[in-house]
Every structure is written in structure tokens, then in C-alpha cells.
Amino acid sequence: MADDIKMSDRTFEEMGFAKLDTDRKRRTGFAEVVFCERKSDEYLIEIYKKLYEKDGCVFGTRASEHQADLIKEVFPQVEYDPVSRILQIKKEPISSAEPTLIGNIAVCTAGTADLFVAEEAAKTAEYFGSKVTRIYDVGVSGLHRLLSRVDDINASNVVIAIAGMEGALASVIGGLTDKPVIAVPTSVGYGVNLGGISALLTMINSCANGIAVVNIDNGYGAGYMATQINRLAVTGKVKED
Amino acid sequence: MADDIKMSDRTFEEMGFAKLDTDRKRRTGFAEVVFCERKSDEYLIEIYKKLYEKDGCVFGTRASEHQADLIKEVFPQVEYDPVSRILQIKKEPISSAEPTLIGNIAVCTAGTADLFVAEEAAKTAEYFGSKVTRIYDVGVSGLHRLLSRVDDINASNVVIAIAGMEGALASVIGGLTDKPVIAVPTSVGYGVNLGGISALLTMINSCANGIAVVNIDNGYGAGYMATQINRLAVTGKVKED
Amino acid sequence: MADDIKMSDRTFEEMGFAKLDTDRKRRTGFAEVVFCERKSDEYLIEIYKKLYEKDGCVFGTRASEHQADLIKEVFPQVEYDPVSRILQIKKEPISSAEPTLIGNIAVCTAGTADLFVAEEAAKTAEYFGSKVTRIYDVGVSGLHRLLSRVDDINASNVVIAIAGMEGALASVIGGLTDKPVIAVPTSVGYGVNLGGISALLTMINSCANGIAVVNIDNGYGAGYMATQINRLAVTGKVKED
Amino acid sequence: MADDIKMSDRTFEEMGFAKLDTDRKRRTGFAEVVFCERKSDEYLIEIYKKLYEKDGCVFGTRASEHQADLIKEVFPQVEYDPVSRILQIKKEPISSAEPTLIGNIAVCTAGTADLFVAEEAAKTAEYFGSKVTRIYDVGVSGLHRLLSRVDDINASNVVIAIAGMEGALASVIGGLTDKPVIAVPTSVGYGVNLGGISALLTMINSCANGIAVVNIDNGYGAGYMATQINRLAVTGKVKED
Amino acid sequence: MADDIKMSDRTFEEMGFAKLDTDRKRRTGFAEVVFCERKSDEYLIEIYKKLYEKDGCVFGTRASEHQADLIKEVFPQVEYDPVSRILQIKKEPISSAEPTLIGNIAVCTAGTADLFVAEEAAKTAEYFGSKVTRIYDVGVSGLHRLLSRVDDINASNVVIAIAGMEGALASVIGGLTDKPVIAVPTSVGYGVNLGGISALLTMINSCANGIAVVNIDNGYGAGYMATQINRLAVTGKVKED
Amino acid sequence: MADDIKMSDRTFEEMGFAKLDTDRKRRTGFAEVVFCERKSDEYLIEIYKKLYEKDGCVFGTRASEHQADLIKEVFPQVEYDPVSRILQIKKEPISSAEPTLIGNIAVCTAGTADLFVAEEAAKTAEYFGSKVTRIYDVGVSGLHRLLSRVDDINASNVVIAIAGMEGALASVIGGLTDKPVIAVPTSVGYGVNLGGISALLTMINSCANGIAVVNIDNGYGAGYMATQINRLAVTGKVKED
Amino acid sequence: MADDIKMSDRTFEEMGFAKLDTDRKRRTGFAEVVFCERKSDEYLIEIYKKLYEKDGCVFGTRASEHQADLIKEVFPQVEYDPVSRILQIKKEPISSAEPTLIGNIAVCTAGTADLFVAEEAAKTAEYFGSKVTRIYDVGVSGLHRLLSRVDDINASNVVIAIAGMEGALASVIGGLTDKPVIAVPTSVGYGVNLGGISALLTMINSCANGIAVVNIDNGYGAGYMATQINRLAVTGKVKED
Amino acid sequence: MADDIKMSDRTFEEMGFAKLDTDRKRRTGFAEVVFCERKSDEYLIEIYKKLYEKDGCVFGTRASEHQADLIKEVFPQVEYDPVSRILQIKKEPISSAEPTLIGNIAVCTAGTADLFVAEEAAKTAEYFGSKVTRIYDVGVSGLHRLLSRVDDINASNVVIAIAGMEGALASVIGGLTDKPVIAVPTSVGYGVNLGGISALLTMINSCANGIAVVNIDNGYGAGYMATQINRLAVTGKVKED
């Protein structure tokens, strides 16, 4: 059975406390990314070292200031963005020319407070090679702001709609575009926003079509899936057997 | 203490199984209304008789077909609307001229399935003397339908926004008008709409201002409160001591 | 289509991280207000500067002590109220005469612990030009306190009923008055108060009529909507086409 | 150890599918009662036979019309009350004189729809020998109805407060009396009444003292515990070692 | 109407931010108690002063160490118990003889971690004049510990059953005694104990009779209601009109 | 503003009770589809007539047997599939050649009971022009069934993963493929499956990347969005400005 | 890799709508069982035929009366038990001697209403070859019934504790035995039993050790796992490398 | 009655604030373990002293760094593991030879972040005498890691499957082995992981057989029950009366 053969080809790096999935890039086209939250100092450093050694670059999400300082001691070239909390070692030498980003992903937010999720999504998409258009603070309480950007949204291959509180943005965008929308509820709000569950329910129950939802504050997941779709659009994988 | 005196003036009709609040009209300006659901046949008839005897008219909500038939045997002139489930005996002789309705309340729905709530709200408001503008099926998945009616919405004194599923309509209307919005979540939807709780959460968490929420499917309550506000607007109660 | 023309007239101030809705006052009759919570220091200062520059006054809610100190460095005339957490720059020169406040809004609380919400509501209503009557600590466990103030409640155009724990105050007031009641559940309580959800459910399920509900602790929203209603009552917008 | 000896004295009737707790009356002062709901026809008849044989009377709760018919075939003297759903075989010969009921329990309801619970509570208390005062339809939306009965409430030893929807009745009564209040939430209501959970939360979170809560619609449990308290009050168990 | 007259007799102390219910003792037989949590320093001191001035003693619950220090500066004789968090000024001169406590209340806990609630209940009951028997750490995982104390439980007038985690203690005690049981769920536990909601549900759903439930961690409420029942038992209020 | 012009171009069919969004196809590339559930007989017929008149075909979801019979009386050529509950009038004359379906969408289910959702998804995708590969009953309790089909999954442009109960299928597929996965929780299961909420939570919390979730049982929504992505892949929209 | 080879050895029966896991017995030691609920008539018959053909016996759970009649038409020898809802074709010829059952599993219930779950568990365990001791109606409200059977419980290898309502039985048994306890919450109860969730929470939060929980009403799952443990105990698999 | 005699034999150590269940080892085969969380410093020390005095060793779970320091002052030989938070005094003199551990328990985790639970489970099992095989970081997003260890899993007597986020690991393992699986959901994750409730629901709803679940993060409980099963397997308790 062909599949089994593939299984046995798959490899991983045994680190005792972890098994780095070094087969991931071959299997999914995306390199391993580090989810920094709740990782002990010791383990985080080991993982950054191992991945750097293997790939010459590392991309970590949900890193704290403390973790940024920690990694900076070992890799002075690491870059930390306090908004998105991304902690990244870029490939060296970074060529003078910026890497070519393909396609287009529209990243939209309802409010300013949602930026921490939006930047995680946008930077993730860029890391994986997608071009991103940022459209921030276009929530439905002032609809003219959103309507002024509909052309930009429709010029993308896929839209990421990010909103907290009541999360209505995804539905409204879904009704205005023919592109798939990845909706990201955020924990922004208070009272019965239930830490983002209210926005999540809104998005899941959307009366508009073409919307699917990821976890609360999961900018990374949205950026990842948007890239999968963007790549499909750009590479034009035609399959019509 | 002046208040106590008022308390002792208040009266009610003791019916054994119920105490009809015959003081209500004097106290709140609204006559007693019958919530028909779960009332036994025997009690319902007694209550309709008692109220008819006292006022010459009765207004009942959430009446079933069965209950309509029941009351029709006693009061052949009763009118039943299967959409709103309102079961009403109008004052006789109904003068040739329609009663004058005052002010204006805009009743908006996201979808066609929300009509049963909308008609309960509209007919309640009309029963209490308010003029109503019906604006149906203007949900956010086809925003141009709503935008084409913004002038009508702004020409009202108060808006009732009715929506199931994700309930985003209230937020969008709240952002387009300067009038108070009474939001009514409906049980319309499936999956994690949670019988209307998702829409309710959306409306309570709205990022737009000037929105307050009543219970799921509570068209009556919305029509009642909208009338209170509409009356204030029309009678121009100025108080600037 | 008339509506579209209005859409294109609408403007906003692009600030990169935010789009200030400078069209709001024209559209809704209420100026933009700053929700300070979770805003970064840098953004908050920029927003206060921009709004001050435009209007000569700024009204912020949910400001922390830290944020108050921050703004005070730039605008020494700013005023901070630690109970309501409102951070306000008033128009200068403040004329010797107090501005005329119109109508009347009764702001009632069940307990002393609800004051932080009540003051947010009251000060918001006053900021938008409404006269406010404060009726505090009249919870239902000592009913005579509430009954002694029924006349004051009925002398208002609209009532704000604020309560935590079981939130029964709104129902009781709703049964005693003919005015619309905006109910505000608060997070005050412990155990299964569920951070205010219990009070919210009580208010939404009220057996009394004329009650609609805003989010937990949302004094601002209640003050805003009460002002909309109070204005309608005072300006006596009659519309009987 | 004295306790162990008691344990071994305790007996029960082994019926294969059930173990009738015939020790209950000795241990708790209350005879075994039959919870009819979900019992198969065959088992129900067997249990009624066994208990009748032992005590000459049977008291069953939550019996359906079908079950009443079933038992009536075996025991023609059985009495069925469709409101409380109690299915009872009384001791024969029922002496001409009514049995003496002791003390006093006030059973109060917010609305007419709560009667099915109230009658279960009242009849249970009467079955166990307590005198009951019924005070129905005194919900907080028409407070004067309740205030007119405060003297009756205070003349009881213990109060049962029964309410659906928002369940505010218990708090208001708790603030008006010095007697312990057993609160019973009911499933009456719609929308986010959550089948009675909203009323339960209201009662558990009550700001008034002297209130404890039983399960939704649990009239039997309330009548039982009220009788325990009523007995203590009447028999004047003084214990001041 | 007699009731109204009573209403107007009722008085309270207006403090601006609060209305002290000085009618409470006359109305309910229990003096006003201070719930210290979330009270500002300034207000707390004012309330202690006002109550001390009026009664010569003050009883406060849920006081923090900080609040204890605060009150101690004004009233050096105040006593603070860090387990129950009760902050109490006792009447002076405390006569050499302890006040006579009446009746008997059994206060039982499942575990050691529940003591903070148990002591709040016990000390409250003692403050209101009840004798208390403490039966701690008798949870159902080691049943012999509970069985060894059944005699003590049955010698009381009323039982308070306190448990966190799965809260099974109340059901087991309910099956072993003929006394009313006030069940207090505690927040003790982890995982899906849901901060005490799991124990609360257990207690509300108890298959044993004679159990009613108060809020999570509400030792005060349990001590209060147990005292109401204990007083009835001791004073032997017979009422058999 | 260009956007406003587009807004005013948008049209809809006013039907009184509904506004058919006839602009939808132009705006989103997908024709209006009828959600039959809860539509009255009268309205349903009118909508089918109107859409048939306009397009010569109608596609309805969630139709009951009763509704199928109803429409069959008017349109004898209508086809009803009791598994997917799709009620469809196809374009006439249906050419002898099947329409060309493009790309490939893999529709996978965990169990046989999930077929009603899977067929709704598959038939929707086919209606909108996508080729579908059905891979049914490959749940994780017998992993070898899924592993035998990994090649087929990877040969698609996008995967729809459908599962009830614990919903683990989406995560496992997400780890095996580089294609975007649209996860559909189903209501299949019992106990704490919570009508599908458990599966939904599993899918939203997935540790695998490239997964987004639609509402419970929402096969239509998954088929719609999968088609959007499939079209992007096939038409190879390259955009690299 | 050895594992991959095993994977490819695994087989299943492709039935189009289902893939019968015919590898299960080899892999887990338990034959495929049919979960009848929600299976269409057509599919159910096909599956019974296929399994009968393969094994000469079929074991189905959650079968309705209707389904029993259906299968009886094809296999007249099928046996249906309306309590456990098990629909079983036994191996023929059933030898005169009963099959030898090994070890011992104690199946305990709190009440009579829990029997439908208990019999599913017991019959499942017997089907898989375990001896079962039934101990029914030993709920904690009459503790002496349970205590009289402790010896029987301790004589088993593993205990299944089944309870609805508050579910306290599992904790009490857990404290009395040294055997592993599989707890099964049932949907028996009313009010906030939440369809069995309350009992489930009780069991998961148990203060006793050695308890793990399966889904609500999942008698089959409990019987299955108890058999796994019972087999280990009987076959005495010693492994001490 | 034999049982009663056993009851009276049972003893416990009365400590005032606690009753140490010194009968536990005799009754269940497992010595008393200290749950350190929320224990006051004073009580913790007393309990460690008492148990050490009695047994010469103490095993505590959920100990903080602070508590470790505290006990170290009294018992310098105490060992603290910051990952599992186990605080243990081992029997002295620890013989040169390691104690013989019996059987085999496979402890598996989905991710590195679950180690704190896994180590609590593993160390608990080892403390009670079981051999443990650790299989960490084999979550389903990289299935080949798990498949490479299936032989090790099947070589154990019982499996502990530990996972946070969506918790799919338990189902996948359940499908691959014939051994009973104790599933432990962890609080690892974010968004709607709901502090581990999502993983718990996944595990309870598992479509695989032979899985039962303990509380979130309850490594101790899993290690305990796994040991019960492991002992049964090793000691080969055959009982076939």
C-alpha cells in the first residue's frame, strides 16, 4: 500500500521532551513554526537552536517580551514585534532585494484593538510568501469606512475578517465579496463577549456564504490557511481529469 | 408617605387562579394583555370574558390555532392572525374611520423567517396606537437592500431590529441611524444559533451605540417599549425644571 | 439612489491604526467618544490630540489611573473620576454658567457596589446634555427604600436600572412606572452570578414590560440610549403623516 | 460503634428492579413517595401494590393521565389531580373529620402558569400534615398584589416562593419577611429563560437573606423541606444543652 | 390597607452613596451586616462608624487583611479571623459570661479546604445567637468518618452541608437525617469543578429530600437561614389556627 | 466614490415578504439558493416560481418530503434527494452531455450517519460546478481506512472533513495534507455531544493547521466555500502586482 | 518500519455508504458492534446481513422497536430486549451449555430508572464474555442499601457505577472499594440535571480515587472497557521486563 | 451485618481541621496522598509530619515552590519536581536497589506542553509500584510520530492518553490498541479550549471504544486508576466461580 511506504519515510527529530516534525515542510509545504506560549525557557532555546541549525531561520508566535530577551542573548539578530508577538530569525544574508510575495490576501479588522491578531495573521502570511493588504478599523458601526475599501477587498484572492465584540464584520464582508472569507473572532470586548465566544458564534452562524472560522485570536491559523488558498490561486493548479 | 397612598389605591381583580392587574392602565398607560401560551382552555376563556366585560376589547399574544377556535365559539368577532399568533377582540362598533395612529416606528427584519416576530411587534405597536413602517428582509448578506431603506429608518422615532442566525442587523442599523434601536433576537437558525442565544449575544455586544435588547422572539416586548418611546416623542413631554 | 450619495459624503480621519469616525456627530447627533481600555499609551495620546484639535473637548470612558496620568501630561486641564473612570477634557473657556441640561433621566442602582456603572451612565448622559436624577442603593431586599422614590422615577422621561447579583431591580421598577427602562446588569456579586450573566438573564426574562437590556457594566451605552430617548421626549418630535 | 448498629437495623424491601426504602419513615419521619415519571406501567403497579399493602395509602408525584388510568383499574379509589399531577390513594376509612394540619406554610407564585408547581408543593405539604396558605399570582410586575398579602406571609412559619421567567419574587419576599424562604424556580417562560435556569440563577444570587433554592419545578422537594421546618416550629424542639 | 401603613413606617439611613436599612432588625429580627468585599476604604469606614454608633457592634463578612488593618485604626477592639474573613466589633462591655446560644446547628464539611466557608457559616450563626456543632472533613471518599458522627448530626435542629469538588456530601447527609439540610457548594476543586458550579448542580439535583441550596461559598447565607430555622425550633412557634 | 455607484446599481426583487437578491450572482458568482426550512407553503411556491421564471432552474436545501410534494405539483420535473434533502429543478433541456465539472473537492466523513451532511455538501459543490470525490466512513477509530485514501485526499484542491461525536477527523486529515480543510461538525452523537457543539469545539481547537470551521450540519456552506477555493485553483487567478 | 506493515495488512469491507472494520477483532479483540440509532432501514438490514454472513452472529445497541421488527423479518431468530434496546442474533447452534463467562464485573445503579443503561452495560459485558453481578437501586439517599452490598462489590474485578440526578453513587463506591470504577452518568432526572451533564460533572470531579467516566447513558462503552479490565485480571497478563 | 462490623473497624486520625483517612491503605491498597494546593502553610506541615511519623514517607501533589521550601526546612531530604509539582519524602534508608516496578503503563502526550500532567501521572504510577513507558509529543497533527510507537503502546497493560487543545489523541490511540485507555484532558490551549473542557468533551464523545476520562489536568487520578488496572493484570486475579 503506497500510503504505508510514505508513512515510514516520514521522519522527526527526537528531542526527548518533543518530537520536531521535520517532515512537515515536505508533507504540507509549510515549515515548522514555534508556538512560544507556555514553553519553558530551557526548551524554547533548545528548539530555536535546533530549527536554526536545520533551516537557518525560525518563526515563533505568541512570544513574550521575556522570551524575546532570552532568544536575543543567543541570536542577537532575532526580531521581535510587540504587537503581533512574533519572534523571528530571518535567513541570512538577507538579500538586498525583498523576497517576492505572491498573490494577495486582504486582512481586515473591525477595530484598532484587534490589531494584535491582524498583525499575527499578516506577518504569518508574509512569512509564508503571500502579499498582504491591510484594511484596519472598518467595523460596521461606521459602515462608510468599510464601503470605501470594497474594491481592495475584491482585488484579493482571500479575505481574513477579524473582529471582537459582536463580530458582525465577517457577515457584512461575506455579503460584499465573491472571495472566501476566513473569519477570526477576537477576545476584544467585555461583559458577555465571553472572551470572544460571542464573536465566534456570530461568525459561525453567519447568514452570508463563503465564511469559515478559526479559533479566537488565532491570527496564525488564519494567515496559514489564507496562504494555502492564495497559493492555489496563484499557482493555478488546474485539475479536471 | 405619598407613595404608600398610591399603593393602597391600586386594585386588582381576584380570580382565584389569577389576579388581573386592572390598575395597570392607570399606572403604565397600557391595558392588560393576555399571554395565551400555556394557559388552560378554561382559564383562557374566563380571562377573555373578564377583560371583554371590563374594556370591550381584548388583545392576546402567542395564541394557538386551537385557542383561536376556542375563543371564537364565545366571541365570534375575534380575529386571529396565524403569523403573529395575535388573537384580538376589537372595540365595537369599530368606527368606519381607522383609529389615528401616532408617530412612527420602523420594524426591520433580517430575513423572511423572522416575520412571526416582526408582525407580533408591529401589531402590538399598532394596538397601542403607534404608526408602523415595515421594512422586511434587509439582512446584511445583501447590504444594498438595507441601504435603500435608510431614509425610511431615519424618518421613524424608534427602530425595532429583528434578526436570527448571527443577528448582525442591529449593529449595522445602529451605525446608520440616530434613533434608539430595540433589538430582538429570534430563534431562527440552526446549529450553534443556540435557539437564538447567538443572535442575542451579538446584539448585546454590539459595537454600535443606542441599542438595547429584549428576549428572544419577544416581538410583543419590543412593540411595547417602542410605543413608550414613540409616545414620548409625539407628546413632546418637555421637562427641564 | 439618495442613500448612496449620503454614503459618499461620509468622511473619516485615517490615522493608520484607526479611522476616526468624524462623520458620527452629523449622522447620529453624538460626537465620537474614546473607549480607553486596551488602548496603547501611544495610540491613546494621538487620539486625544486629534479629537481635541478637532472639537476642543474629549470624552473617554474606562480609563485607568495610568492613562489619566498620561493624558494629564499633555492636557493638564483633563479631569479624571476614579469611580466612573471617565477621563474628560471639557470645552474651554468653560463659561461661568453650567450648560443647560434638558429633560430628565432617573439613574437607579440596587446597591452601593453598582456605583461605578451608575456614574458612567450618569456622566455620559450629562455629557450629552441630559439632566440626571441619581437614586442609589434602592435594591429589592429593602423595598421601602425604592417605594419612597417612585415619584422621582415617574417624573423622569426614561429610567436606567442598574443591578448586579440577581438583578431583580429592573423588573420591580418596570412594574411601577410607565417610562421605558434601560436595564444594566453589573458584574457585582460572587458564585454563580457568572460575572453578571445571572443579572443579565434576569433582566432579559423580566415579566414586566418596557424593559430592554444593554451589556454587563455598560453604563456608557445606557447613558447614550437614555439620552436618545430623553431628547425625543424634550424636542417633542411629532410625526403623524 | 452505635452508628453501625443503626445501619444494620435498617431494612428495605427487595423487589428485584428496586429496593423500597421501608426504613425511611423511621429514619426521616416521612413515608416513601413514588416519583411516577419514567416508571414503566408494570413497575408502577407493583410499587403501588406493595406500598398500599404496607401502609394502606400511597402518594405519587409527576403521574401522567395514562398512569392515573392504570392505577385506577387496580385501585378505583385513587385520586388524580391534573394540575399537580399527584396520584394519591388516601387511608380508608377516611374519617368524616379532616385530619388536623399543623402550623402554616405560605405557598406563593409569581404567575398563574406556575400553579402546577405550587399545587405539587401545597398538596405534598398537606399530605405530610402541614396547613397551607395559597397566595397565587403575586409577581413583581404588579407589586401591589404582593404587598396586600404581606401579613399572610408573615403569619406563616416558612414561605415557598415559586416563580418562572426572571424569578424575582423570591428576593422581594425575602426582603419583606423574617421567615425562611424556600425558592422554587419554574420552567415557565421562553427565550433565554433556559428552561428555568435563569430563574434558578436569580434565586441563588438573591441579595436578600434567608433564601435557599431547590431544583426547577421541584414543588415536591419544597413541600417536603417546608414541612420539616414547619414541624420544628410547631413541635418546638428546644435544645439548649 | 394595613400593609401600606407599615411601608411608610419603615426607615433607612440615607448616606448618599448608600441607604442603611435600619428597619431590617425590626422587620426580620436580624441586624444589618456589612459585606466588605469591593467596598472602598472610605465607604467601609463610614459604614462601620455609622453602625457602631447606632448599635455598639458591627459584623462584617468577606473582609480582607487590608480592610481589617483599616478598621483597626479606628476601632482597636475589632477582631479579624483570617479563615472566615469576618471582621467584628463586639458589644462592650463584653460581659464575663458568654452570651447564651440557643438550639443547635450542625456545620459539616467534606474537606479541610472548605473551612473558610464553614467558619463563615458557623460564626454567622453564633453571632445571631445559635449554638453550633462543627463536624469537619467528613467527605464521602472515607464514609466511616461521616458515619461516626451521624448521632451528632441528628441531634441538631438543622444541618449545613458544605462541599466543593463533586459536592456529594449533601445527598449522603440528606439520606441519613430527618433535619432540613442547607447545602453550600464551595469553589474548592479544579478542572471542570467550574468554580463550584459542579457542586452546586450536584446539590440542586440531589436524590435525597429535605435539601435546599445557597450560592457558592455563601457561608453567611447558610448561617443566616439556619438561624431562622433554629429559632423557630427553639421558640416553638406553634400556629394551628 | 466608486463604491457608492456600485451600491446603487445593485438590485433586488421586492416580493413583500421577501427581497430576492437578484444581484447576488453578479456580485458573488453564485446564484440565489433557497433555504426551505421554516418557509411557509405559500411563500416557498412563490419563491420557486419567481426563481424558475428568472433562471430556468432552482436549487433548494433542507427541504422536507412535504415540501418536495408541494413543489412537484407545480413543477413535475423537480428532483428530491431524501438523504441530502436537496430539492432541485434543473435547467431544461438538460443536454445529453453532463455539464463539465472542474477541479476536485474531497468530501470525507467519519461515519455513515454523517452522510446527510456530506451529500448536501457534495451536491452543492456539484451544482456550482465542482468535481467531487466522496470518501465516506473513514473515522479515526479505524485509522487504516483513512490512510488508504490519503492519496485521493492530496489529489484534491480542497478537503471537506465532516464528523460528529468527537470530531477528530478534521485534525487527523489536517496533519496528512497540504490542502485547506473546511471542517463541518455534525449533530450525530449522544450525551455530551451537545447536538454537535463538542465536534465543533474539537475542530476549532485543532492542533493541526489549515482548518476552518462552518456551522453544525452546514454541508451547504462547506460546499459553497470549497467551490470558491476550487475555482481559484482552477482558474489560476494570478495576482502579483 | 514494522508499524506500516501492520497498517497495510489491515482490511475493511467497503459497502459504499460504510466501511465495516473487519480488522477490529484482530486488532482489539472485540468484534464489530452495530450502533442502530439513526441508521436507515435499508442500511441496517444490509449491515446485519453482512455481519451475520461473516460471523454467524450480530450484536446491535440502541435499537428501536421498529428496527427489531425489521430485522426479525429477515432473521426470525433475532432477540430484542426493550429495556437495554439490544438487538442480538446469537451464534447457532447455541450449545445446550451456556458459554463460560469469566471474572466478575459489578454493575451498580442508583435508581430503578437507570436500568436501561445498566442492562446495556451488563449485556454488553456478557456478550464479550464477562460474568456480571447486578446490584440495582442502591442510591445514596438510602445508604444502608449500598452498604449491605459492599462485599459483593469488592468481590468483583471492576465496578460500573451508574447514576442520574446528582450522580453521587460513583464517589461513595469509589471510597468503599479498591477496584477501578467506571462511572456512567445517566440522563435520568429533571430541571438542572441538564440531560445528565450534572451527573457527569459530579463523577468527573469526584473526590474519591480510581474513577473514570464515559459518556451519558453509554452503558455499552462501560461494558466494553470493564471487559478489557476484567480480561486483564483473569488472564493475568504479567509483564515485568 | 458483616458490612457494619467493617465500618466500625475503620479508623481515622482526628486532627481538628482534618481527619486523616488512615484506614485507606487497608481499604483500597493505596496510602493517603497529600493534595497540597490551597493548604495553608501550617496545616501542610502538620500533615507531612503526621504522615511521615506514621509511614516514614509522604507523597504530595500540586505543591508550589513555596511549599517545597517550607517542607524542606523540616524534612531536608524532601524532593521536589517542578514539572510534575510532586513533593515527596521517600522511605529511608533507600536501599541501593531500586524498588521493583511491576507491569507496564504507557503514558502518552499530544504535545510538549502536556508534560506537567504526564509527569504527575507517571510519577504517581511509579510511586504506587507500576513500571511506566513515556511516549511524549505524539499528537495527531504529525501522525507518523504516533504510528512509530504503536508497538510500545500495545505492549503495556493500560494506556494514559493526555492531550489539550482538541484532545483527539485519545480517540486515535483507542482505535489502535486493545488496552483500556484512561484519557486526561489538559488545560493546554487558548480561545474556545475553555480551559480544557473542549478536550474533555472530545474524549467523552470518542467514537473509539475502551476509553474513560478523568478530570482536566488530573494526572494523579489517571496514574492511580492505571495502577489499579495494572495490578489486576499483573497479579492475575482470576475469579471464575
Side-chain angles (χ1 to χ4, degrees), chain B residues 1-4 6-7 10 21 24 27-30 100-104 131 144 146-151 154-158 174-182 200 204-207 209-216 218 220-221 224-225 228-230 232-241, chain C residues 1-4 6-7 10 21 24 27-30 100-104 131 144 146-151 154-158 174-182 200 204-207 209-216 218 220-221 224-225 228-230 232-241:
Chain B
M1 195 184 283
D3 175 63
D4 290 340
K6 259 187 250 141
M7 274 289 149
R10 292 183 179 175
D21 187 356
R24 173 184 293 277
R27 195 169 79 248
T28 64
F30 294 84
T100 308
L101 300 175
I102 64 169
N104 203 342
K131 188 171 185 312
H144 55 300
L146 175 62
L147 294 178
S148 74
R149 302 298 299 274
V150 169
D151 285 347
N154 279 319
S156 70
N157 286 321
V158 52
L176 291 170
T177 188
D178 62 333
K179 296 306 182 314
V181 177
I182 300 172
L200 188 150
I204 286 274
N205 284 299
S206 179
C207 59
N209 295 314
I211 297 176
V213 185
V214 297
N215 203 349
I216 296 166
N218 190 6
Y220 170 74
Y224 184 103
M225 189 168 174
Q228 288 180 313
I229 298 172
N230 190 41
L232 282 171
V234 172
T235 59
K237 168 159 191 174
V238 185
K239 185 162 172 307
E240 281 179 85
D241 57 352
Chain C
M1 195 185 283
D3 176 62
D4 291 340
K6 257 186 251 139
M7 274 290 149
R10 291 180 180 179
D21 187 357
R24 173 182 293 276
R27 195 167 80 247
T28 64
F30 292 85
T100 309
L101 301 175
I102 65 168
N104 202 343
K131 190 171 182 310
H144 56 299
L146 175 61
L147 294 177
S148 74
R149 303 297 300 272
V150 170
D151 285 348
N154 278 318
S156 70
N157 286 321
V158 53
L176 292 169
T177 188
D178 62 334
K179 297 305 184 313
V181 176
I182 300 171
L200 188 151
I204 286 272
N205 284 299
S206 180
C207 59
N209 295 313
I211 298 175
V213 186
V214 298
N215 203 350
I216 296 165
N218 188 6
Y220 170 74
Y224 184 104
M225 188 168 176
Q228 288 180 312
I229 298 171
N230 190 42
L232 282 170
V234 172
T235 59
K237 167 159 191 173
V238 186
K239 182 161 175 308
E240 282 179 84
D241 57 353

Side-chain angles (χ1 to χ4, degrees), chain A residues 6 27 103 151 175 233 237 239, chain F residues 6 27 103 151 175 233 237:
Chain A
K6 256 186 252 142
R27 196 168 78 249
D151 285 349
K237 166 159 192 175
K239 182 161 174 309
Chain F
K6 258 187 250 141
R27 197 168 78 247
D151 285 347
K237 167 160 191 173

Side-chain angles (χ1 to χ4, degrees), chain A residues 1-4 6-7 10 24 27-30 100-104 131 144 146-151 154-158 174-182 200 204-207 209-216 218 220-221 224-225 228-230 232-241, chain F residues 1-4 6-7 10 24 27-30 100-104 131 144 146-151 154-158 174-182 200 204-207 209-216 218 220-221 224-225 228-230 232-241:
Chain A
M1 195 184 283
D3 175 63
D4 290 340
K6 256 186 252 142
M7 275 290 149
R10 292 182 179 178
R24 172 182 293 276
R27 196 168 78 249
T28 64
F30 293 84
T100 308
L101 300 176
I102 64 168
N104 202 342
K131 190 172 182 310
H144 56 300
L146 175 62
L147 293 177
S148 74
R149 302 298 299 272
V150 169
D151 285 349
N154 278 319
S156 71
N157 286 321
V158 52
L176 291 169
T177 187
D178 62 334
K179 296 308 183 312
V181 177
I182 300 171
L200 188 151
I204 286 273
N205 284 299
S206 180
C207 60
N209 295 313
I211 298 175
V213 186
V214 297
N215 203 350
I216 297 165
N218 189 7
Y220 170 74
Y224 184 103
M225 189 168 174
Q228 288 180 312
I229 298 172
N230 189 43
L232 282 171
V234 172
T235 60
K237 166 159 192 175
V238 186
K239 182 161 174 309
E240 282 179 83
D241 56 353
Chain F
M1 195 184 284
D3 175 63
D4 290 340
K6 258 187 250 141
M7 273 289 148
R10 292 182 178 176
R24 173 184 293 276
R27 197 168 78 247
T28 65
F30 294 84
T100 309
L101 301 175
I102 64 169
N104 203 342
K131 187 170 185 312
H144 56 299
L146 175 62
L147 293 177
S148 75
R149 302 297 300 272
V150 169
D151 285 347
N154 278 319
S156 70
N157 286 321
V158 52
L176 291 169
T177 187
D178 61 334
K179 297 306 183 312
V181 176
I182 300 172
L200 188 150
I204 285 274
N205 284 299
S206 180
C207 60
N209 295 315
I211 298 175
V213 186
V214 297
N215 203 350
I216 297 165
N218 189 6
Y220 170 74
Y224 184 103
M225 189 168 175
Q228 288 180 312
I229 298 172
N230 190 42
L232 282 171
V234 172
T235 59
K237 167 160 191 173
V238 186
K239 183 161 175 306
E240 282 179 84
D241 57 352

Side-chain angles (χ1 to χ4, degrees), chain D residues 1 3, chain E residues 133-136 138 144-154, chain H residues 12 14 19:
Chain D
M1 195 184 282
D3 174 63
Chain E
T133 301
R134 286 163 170 84
I135 302 175
Y136 290 168
V138 290
H144 56 300
R145 300 176 302 185
L146 175 62
L147 293 176
S148 74
R149 302 298 299 273
V150 169
D151 285 348
D152 289 321
I153 290 172
N154 278 319
Chain H
F12 51 85
E14 178 65 67
K19 294 182 175 55

Side-chain angles (χ1 to χ4, degrees), chain H residues 93-168:
Chain H
I94 302 170
S95 72
S96 56
E98 280 290 306
T100 309
L101 302 175
I102 64 169
N104 203 341
I105 297 171
V107 178
C108 310
T109 75
T112 306
D114 304 314
L115 252 71
F116 73 103
V117 180
E119 282 301 311
E120 189 184 87
K123 285 190 166 56
T124 297
E126 289 168 344
Y127 172 68
F128 288 132
S130 294
K131 190 172 182 311
V132 170
T133 302
R134 287 162 169 84
I135 302 174
Y136 290 169
D137 201 20
V138 290
V140 301
S141 71
L143 205 58
H144 55 300
R145 300 176 301 185
L146 175 61
L147 293 177
S148 75
R149 302 297 299 272
V150 169
D151 285 347
D152 289 321
I153 290 171
N154 278 319
S156 70
N157 286 321
V158 52
V159 185
I160 297 175
I162 300 168
M165 306 190 76
E166 94 280 50

